[in-house]
Every structure is written in structure tokens, then in C-alpha cells.
């Protein structure tokens, strides 16, 4: 295995007649939103981001992207995280912004280890529900071992089973708040220092 650091830079070109660029400082973070005319507005994104950035900063620490956050809004669908940026629907905005902490600054060493950034992202929101169920203790998976470090493609089990694995971990360490404390410490110590599932 040879470790290769990989960061993606997002460029987005859009005609001024069909898109509006808005900028605002939210919770100390410079936020830029590119919104399509006649669709989801920058104001809707700002309204979503204000409480969410406060939540994440309180739980996980200062926003990790040094130049703020750029958001390209789409009308429907999911989203994709980039270093300090996302292309996303309003529905997926919170999910993609969480990735600024886990996926874009606290980074998996190899591609097969990247399951945990999606799993943590899903767990963080789903575990707010008091009845969110942990994975069964009998569960076994090849979610990591089934892939080489550079295999193309992504294992969708990370979203459901992966999140429920972290719910089981939360139960083991004393609950949701205790695991969030572990994540805050992990993010503080290992940002931009990629690590494997075994290290985790």
C-alpha cells in the first residue's frame, strides 16, 4: 500500500442570469451560497446553516475549513462534500456540512476506510432520536476487508449498518454525549492526519 493524500477542489461555473451568489458570516464562518433563480434560495440555506453550525461547533469544535464554506444549491437529490464546499440540495445540506469535520478534515487513510465518515455523519443525526437502534451484537461485515485500499465504488452499508455500529459503540462508551466527546477529541487530535479503521 502507498498512501496518497487526496483533496478535491470544487469549481462551479454558472450564468449570472440564472444564479445568485450570496455571502454571509454565520457563527464566525464565511459562507457563500450559489442558488439557482426560481428555486431554493440562499436565505433558506442560511436559515438551515445558522443553528447547524452552532450545533457542530458546540459538539465537535471550531469549524475546520480555514476559508469558510461554499455551497452550490441544487433543486433536488442528495449532495457531495468537498474541502470547504458542497454541491447539495437543501435536504442534504446538514449532512454535507457535517462532512467538513469527518471526511474533509478528519480523513480516512485509504478508500476502504472511508465508510466511517458516512457512518458517523448518519449516526450523529439519527442518534438524536431516543429510540434509534444499535446494530445487533451478532452482526458481522466485510465492509472494510472486502475492498482494496483503492477500489473504486462505495459501500452503501456505511449509511445504515455503519451508523448503527456507532450506535452500539455509543452504548459501550456510556451514551451519545460520551461518544460525541470522543469524536471531538479525535477531530482535535487527528485532523489532516489520515488514519485507518483499525486506528479508529
Amino acid at each position: 500500500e502507498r498512501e496518497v493524500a487526496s483533496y478535491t477542489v470544487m469549481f462551479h461555473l454558472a450564468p449570472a442570469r440564472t444564479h445568485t451568489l450570496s455571502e454571509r458570516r454565520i457563527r464566525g464562518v464565511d459562507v457563500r451560497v450559489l442558488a439557482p433563480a426560481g428555486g431554493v434560495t440562499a436565505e433558506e440555506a442560511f436559515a438551515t446553516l445558522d443553528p447547524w453550525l452552532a450545533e457542530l461547533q458546540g459538539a465537535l469544535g471550531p469549524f475546520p475549513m480555514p476559508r469558510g464554506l461554499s455551497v452550490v444549491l441544487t433543486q433536488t437529490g442528495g449532495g457531495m462534500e468537498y474541502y470547504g464546499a458542497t454541491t447539495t440540495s437543501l435536504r442534504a445540506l446538514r449532512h454535507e456540512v457535517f462532512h467538513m469535520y469527518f471526511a474533509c478534515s478528519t480523513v480516512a487513510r485509504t478508500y476502504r476506510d472511508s465508510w466511517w465518515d458516512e457512518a458517523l455523519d448518519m449516526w450523529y443525526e439519527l442518534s438524536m432520536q431516543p429510540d434509534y437502534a444499535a446494530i445487533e451484537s451478532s452482526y458481522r461485515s466485510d465492509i472494510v476487508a472486502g475492498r482494496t485500499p483503492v477500489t473504486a465504488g462505495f459501500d452503501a452499508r456505511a449509511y445504515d449498518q455503519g451508523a448503527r455500529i456507532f450506535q452500539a459503540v455509543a452504548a459501550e462508551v456510556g451514551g451519545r454525549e460520551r461518544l460525541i466527546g470522543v469524536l471531538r477529541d479525535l477531530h482535535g487530535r487527528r485532523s489532516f492526519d489520515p488514519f485507518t479503521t483499525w486506528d479508529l
Side-chain angles (χ1 to χ4, degrees):
E1 295 181 20
R2 183 170 65 90
E3 296 176 17
V4 178
S6 176
Y7 293 99
T8 305
V9 178
M10 183 179 75
F11 293 91
H12 193 89
L13 300 175
R17 68 181 179 279
T18 60
H19 288 74
T20 303
L21 180 64
S22 303
E23 299 182 61
R24 185 170 298 173
R25 192 162 180 82
I26 301 175
R27 308 287 175 172
V29 179
D30 292 322
V31 179
R32 296 158 296 279
V33 176
L34 186 66
V40 179
T41 67
E43 287 303 317
E44 291 174 276
F46 291 143
T48 298
L49 288 170
D50 188 26
W52 190 235
L53 286 172
E55 161 75 26
L56 294 177
Q57 289 171 333
L60 300 174
F63 189 72
M65 300 291 117
R67 295 191 178 180
L69 175 66
S70 297
V71 177
V72 176
L73 285 175
T74 60
Q75 295 291 38
T76 59
M80 184 62 206
E81 73 276 4
Y82 303 93
Y83 179 82
T86 177
T87 299
T88 183
S89 64
L90 190 62
R91 177 184 62 81
L93 179 58
R94 287 167 44 126
H95 179 93
E96 302 308 332
V97 171
F98 183 95
H99 276 312
M100 298 303 120
Y101 287 87
F102 287 89
C104 295
S105 60
T106 310
V107 185
R109 180 169 288 167
T110 72
Y111 196 78
R112 68 181 171 198
D113 295 300
S114 66
W115 73 275
W116 54 252
D117 63 59
E118 291 296 353
L120 284 171
D121 197 329
M122 294 298 292
W123 171 81
Y124 190 88
E125 284 208 71
L126 292 172
S127 65
M128 291 177 179
Q129 305 166 15
D131 60 345
Y132 184 59
I135 200 83
E136 304 82 14
S137 60
S138 60
Y139 180 76
R140 299 292 180 267
S141 169
D142 65 349
I143 199 168
V144 179
R147 294 180 177 273
T148 72
V150 294
T151 298
F154 181 75
D155 195 321
R157 291 177 294 177
Y159 293 93
D160 178 39
Q161 289 97 327
R164 295 192 305 122
I165 286 169
F166 280 106
Q167 183 68 347
V169 172
E172 288 292 322
V173 299
R176 183 176 191 274
E177 294 307 314
R178 291 290 296 274
L179 183 51
I180 289 173
V182 170
L183 296 179
R184 182 184 179 96
D185 177 69
L186 178 65
H187 173 70
R189 287 186 302 105
R190 296 300 298 264
S191 288
F192 306 108
D193 179 16
F195 54 89
T196 66
T197 300
W198 183 253
D199 296 329
L200 176 66

